[in-house]
Amino acid sequence: MTDTKPFVALCPETLPQRLGALPELRARLGANNESWRVKEVGDGNLNLVFIVEGDQGKAIVKQALPYVRLVGESWPLPLKRSFFEYHALVRQSERDPGMVPEIFYFDAEQAIIVMEFLSPHIILRRALIEGQQLPRIGRDLGLFAARTLFRGSDLAMSARKRKEDLALFSDNVELCDITENLVFSDPYFEASLNRHTSPQLDGLVAELRADRDLKVEAQKLKHLFTAKAETLLHGDLHTGSVMVTGEETRVIDPEFAFYGPIAFDVGMMIANFWMSYFSQAGHEEDGDREEMRRYLLGVVDEIWTTFRAEFARLWHEERNGILYQRSLFEDRGDRLGSEQALDHMLHEIWTDMLGFAGVEIHRRILGLAHNADFETISDLDLRARCETKALKLGRHLVVNRRQIHSLAEINSLANRLEKETVS
Ligand code: SR1
Ligand code: MG
């Protein structure tokens, strides 16, 4: 018989007593657990997050709840997402060392992960809303995406390890289901949990929901998401899943991890910078954000350029997996064949990435889970003007992605939309 304890949610009052005997926490915080100070700081949609401070230091305790925190107990969600988050963090830390928080302890039954307290890091989304220009993020995020996505794929992994991981993460069904509905379908019809800035956006929302080309393309992207089990994704790689200082970037929260298309993580991430770009007009109380806007488009460029260059380096140096074996190309002196295959793959990632970026923009304005970039703009007319521009860019990306050849093209469209007067 297994000795399983029923799940009980932590709270600041019970945490020191419940986790006080853990050597992993005592070593970091100090053994006097009665003096530990605990604060619940979770501001995400799903989980509890506690900062625990002792005489010798601090740690983060994250616990999944058996339901969606944003909605409440009416939307149950399994605790096993914590298991997937833990296993994704382990793999990401091997694939891009130093880019995720250090993990000290994991308890699957209580869905608890104890990890490094990052300080003085703040959530990237908040930094961008404040108008901070972080010098490293473009390069760090481009490298992180290329390394984790390449090294978790058939390009790098052996057949056995790859299939084992595919099987392990294939059970993250409920979180995939959230993405499948919230990102690819709900924004495009009157789903019950949707909301948007109303009445200001009502006309445009109706137009988008009647847009047949948009709906068909969004479903094609959904098909890619469900069927293209290409690599282990972070699965929710937006600016709220990144913590930063001027010198360091860390990626957190991979509970949506599963095997999906390489382009998904890259597209989600880049979309969040475009949304930040269009939201800047709503944060100009202390002066105009023209330079910030230039910076944000520069970051998009740097993420993609870095991703592409690092992906190509890994292709040349670490392509030891199942696909595009060297025995077919380099070993036969066919270097050009390998370059051709790489070009094709990068081109496909590029096109799909633009589509995923478009639907991510739409769902953050039309669906359930909005983002603070727009939500913190209290003047609703101004917020709606910012959102309108983002929605238009999103539509262009989804529908016309196969005809877009460079970021310069998109960035200049973003600039034009930004200058447009929205009635
Ligand atoms: C019901 S969960 C809503 C969103 O929160 C998470 O951060 C994911 O982005 C998900 O889509
Ligand atoms: Mg999250």
Side-chain angles (χ1 to χ4, degrees):
M1 232 176 68
T2 49
D3 178 25
T4 53
K5 292 209 182 81
F7 172 85
V8 182
L10 291 163
C11 66
E13 293 72 34
T14 58
L15 190 149
Q17 178 261 318
R18 281 187 60 193
L19 303 186
L22 284 181
E24 294 84 353
L25 265 179
R26 292 164 76 88
R28 262 122 202 144
L29 307 183
N32 181 11
N33 62 320
E34 277 166 21
S35 73
W36 292 359
R37 292 169 295 287
V38 185
K39 203 159 75 175
E40 207 276 313
V41 294
D43 63 353
N45 295 330
L46 300 180
N47 308 301
L48 297 171
V49 181
F50 302 92
I51 298 176
V52 190
E53 181 173 10
D55 306 331
Q56 289 171 28
K58 295 186 190 181
I60 291 289
V61 174
K62 179 171 178 181
Q63 187 180 37
L65 288 165
Y67 54 85
V68 174
R69 183 177 183 170
L70 173 70
V71 175
E73 293 183 30
S74 62
W75 187 341
L77 199 62
L79 299 173
K80 66 184 178 192
R81 64 185 187 273
S82 180
F83 169 90
F84 298 115
E85 174 164 358
Y86 168 73
H87 282 283
L89 284 165
V90 169
R91 282 153 185 74
Q92 289 168 346
S93 112
E94 284 164 12
R95 290 169 187 160
D96 195 8
M99 277 296 287
V100 299
E102 195 186 335
I103 302 303
F104 303 140
Y105 172 79
F106 172 56
D107 176 342
E109 279 162 18
Q110 297 300 315
I112 290 172
I113 303 176
V114 179
M115 65 188 111
E116 182 183 3
F117 172 69
L118 297 171
S119 174
H121 303 64
I122 62 167
I123 293 285
L124 173 56
R125 195 185 298 289
R126 188 144 68 79
L128 300 180
I129 292 170
E130 285 170 6
Q132 289 188 39
Q133 297 182 22
L134 290 313
R136 293 187 56 112
I137 50 172
R139 183 170 161 73
D140 286 348
L141 292 172
L143 290 177
F144 177 80
R147 290 172 183 170
T148 56
L149 300 173
F150 185 96
R151 290 175 172 153
S153 79
D154 283 329
L155 295 167
M157 291 177 83
S158 69
R160 171 153 303 280
K161 276 210 86 175
R162 162 68 164 80
K163 262 86 181 170
E164 281 170 1
D165 261 18
L166 182 69
L168 183 96
F169 286 96
S170 69
D171 194 29
N172 203 3
V173 180
E174 292 77 4
L175 274 78
C176 285
D177 188 56
I178 287 182
T179 304
E180 285 152 14
N181 288 312
L182 261 52
V183 175
F184 296 100
S185 289
D186 288 6
Y188 303 108
F189 74 105
E190 294 74 22
S192 59
L193 293 171
N194 283 350
R195 65 189 172 85
H196 62 260
T197 310
S198 180
Q200 292 87 342
L201 292 183
D202 289 356
L204 179 55
V205 173
E207 226 177 88
L208 292 171
R209 289 189 179 146
D211 187 330
R212 189 172 295 148
D213 292 339
L214 177 61
K215 284 195 292 185
V216 170
E217 289 305 327
Q219 289 308 293
K220 286 189 195 166
L221 290 160
K222 184 175 184 175
H223 188 181
L224 276 181
F225 182 83
T226 57
K228 198 169 182 178
E230 216 176 15
T231 191
L232 180 65
L233 298 177
H234 176 285
D236 197 24
L237 192 56
H238 52 75
T239 50
S241 300
V242 179
M243 298 196 69
V244 288
T245 67
E247 293 76 41
E248 245 195 23
T249 311
R250 301 284 191 101
V251 177
I252 59 170
D253 280 2
E255 65 204 315
F256 283 77
F258 85 111
Y259 266 81
I262 290 175
F264 183 75
D265 274 358
V266 192
M268 275 226 155
M269 179 44 71
I270 284 182
N272 278 265
F273 287 96
W274 278 321
M275 281 189 276
S276 174
Y277 172 89
F278 288 115
S279 74
Q280 292 298 317
H283 304 292
E284 291 186 318
E285 307 84 7
D286 303 323
D288 87 67
R289 293 278 184 98
E290 204 44 56
E291 208 187 305
M292 185 68 189
R293 277 188 278 271
R294 266 197 298 278
Y295 160 79
L296 287 164
L297 296 186
V299 171
V300 170
D301 206 69
E302 201 179 357
I303 291 178
W304 175 248
T305 316
T306 306
F307 170 84
R308 213 181 36 197
E310 182 67 358
F311 196 92
R313 184 187 72 78
L314 295 168
W315 176 278
H316 295 126
E317 294 175 15
E318 296 186 16
R319 205 178 76 252
N320 303 313
I322 309 164
L323 289 178
Y324 302 102
Q325 297 111 303
R326 286 169 199 283
S327 45
L328 288 168
F329 299 105
E330 287 88 343
D331 296 354
R332 299 172 57 85
D334 187 11
R335 204 178 52 78
L336 291 181
S338 154
E339 294 308 306
Q340 181 177 325
L342 171 62
D343 278 354
H344 285 193
M345 186 164 242
L346 283 171
H347 183 70
E348 215 167 87
I349 296 172
W350 160 258
T351 308
D352 299 345
M353 178 275 281
L354 297 178
F356 290 130
V359 291
E360 166 69 357
I361 293 174
H362 284 169
R363 72 96 167 213
R364 294 290 184 188
I365 299 171
L366 307 178
L368 165 73
H370 288 220
N371 62 29
D373 312 57
F374 295 122
E375 294 292 293
T376 52
I377 304 172
S378 51
D379 174 341
L380 294 189
D381 291 332
L382 176 55
R383 184 196 295 179
R385 287 198 293 278
C386 297
E387 291 174 326
T388 296
K389 295 168 184 181
L391 288 171
K392 287 183 179 174
L393 182 77
R395 197 247 172 219
H396 177 68
L397 293 174
V398 173
V399 175
N400 300 320
R401 64 188 185 282
R402 295 178 199 83
Q403 285 79 49
I404 301 174
H405 301 293
S406 72
L407 275 175
E409 253 177 73
I410 307 168
N411 287 347
S412 66
L413 172 61
N415 270 318
R416 283 200 305 280
L417 284 167
E418 178 54 27
K419 291 190 175 71
E420 235 174 45
T421 316
V422 176
S423 54

